[in-house]
Amino acid sequence: EGHSQEFSLGDAVISSQVSSYRSQSVADADLALLRDPKAAACFEQTTRKQLAATMPAGATIGSGPMTFTMGSSGGPDNVVATGKGTVPITLAGKQFVLYRDVAFVTGPKIEGEIVFTDFGSAVPDGTQKALIASFAGRVAKG
């Protein structure tokens, strides 16, 4: 398992991680879990827990929608799913919206994800597509 450093782009944070498996069938079975109707809610819950651990005391973290779309969404063929979501946050009486987008990628006995997080607006689509393509290319090579 490997995790990238978090990279900043203005207010945005971009990170990635990859996991290696003993066989392709194990990697494929793990990625198949994304088809479960509960997967998006699980990802949203994980996001909320991560935020709760990093936000200042007194922050209120709400629930926001998260949707998964199976397939590459026009990206490289080894992008197996993408996700988009928002989480409302209240801090010191001010309301914010956290945008979180993710792409799930597969390679030989490898699965990976690249995550884009930003406040106020999503990381621009063009930036996401370029970084997803680069990440997917590296994962495809193993």
Side-chain angles (χ1 to χ4, degrees), residues 69-86:
T69 303
M70 297 308 295
S72 68
S73 297
D77 289 342
N78 64 328
V79 175
V80 295
T82 56
K84 291 190 171 291
T86 58

Side-chain angles (χ1 to χ4, degrees), residues 40-49 51 59-67 84-90 95-98:
C42 182
F43 192 80
E44 186 261 338
Q45 184 179 29
T46 300
T47 297
R48 292 181 69 220
K49 285 182 181 178
L51 286 171
T60 302
I61 301 164
S63 289
M66 184 73 184
T67 58
K84 291 190 171 291
T86 58
V87 179
I89 300 169
T90 304
Q95 294 186 340
F96 303 92
V97 177
L98 175 99

Side-chain angles (χ1 to χ4, degrees), residues 10-35:
D11 291 333
V13 175
I14 302 163
S15 63
S16 63
Q17 67 178 35
V18 294
S19 297
S20 174
Y21 295 91
R22 294 182 194 269
S23 72
Q24 189 62 44
S25 62
V26 174
D28 292 343
D30 195 52
L31 288 168
L33 295 173
L34 295 171
R35 290 183 182 88

Side-chain angles (χ1 to χ4, degrees), residues 54-132:
T54 60
M55 295 298 291
T60 302
I61 301 164
S63 289
M66 184 73 184
T67 58
F68 282 172
T69 303
M70 297 308 295
S72 68
S73 297
D77 289 342
N78 64 328
V79 175
V80 295
T82 56
K84 291 190 171 291
T86 58
V87 179
I89 300 169
T90 304
L91 179 62
K94 295 182 181 181
Q95 294 186 340
F96 303 92
V97 177
L98 175 99
Y99 289 78
R100 191 148 206 199
D101 298 332
V102 60
F104 298 93
V105 179
T106 189
K109 299 182 200 175
I110 296 172
E111 71 174 58
E113 62 184 59
I114 184 168
V115 181
F116 304 88
T117 306
D118 203 352
F119 283 96
S121 64
V123 173
D125 284 342
T127 302
Q128 287 192 36
K129 286 180 182 181
L131 292 173
I132 290 169

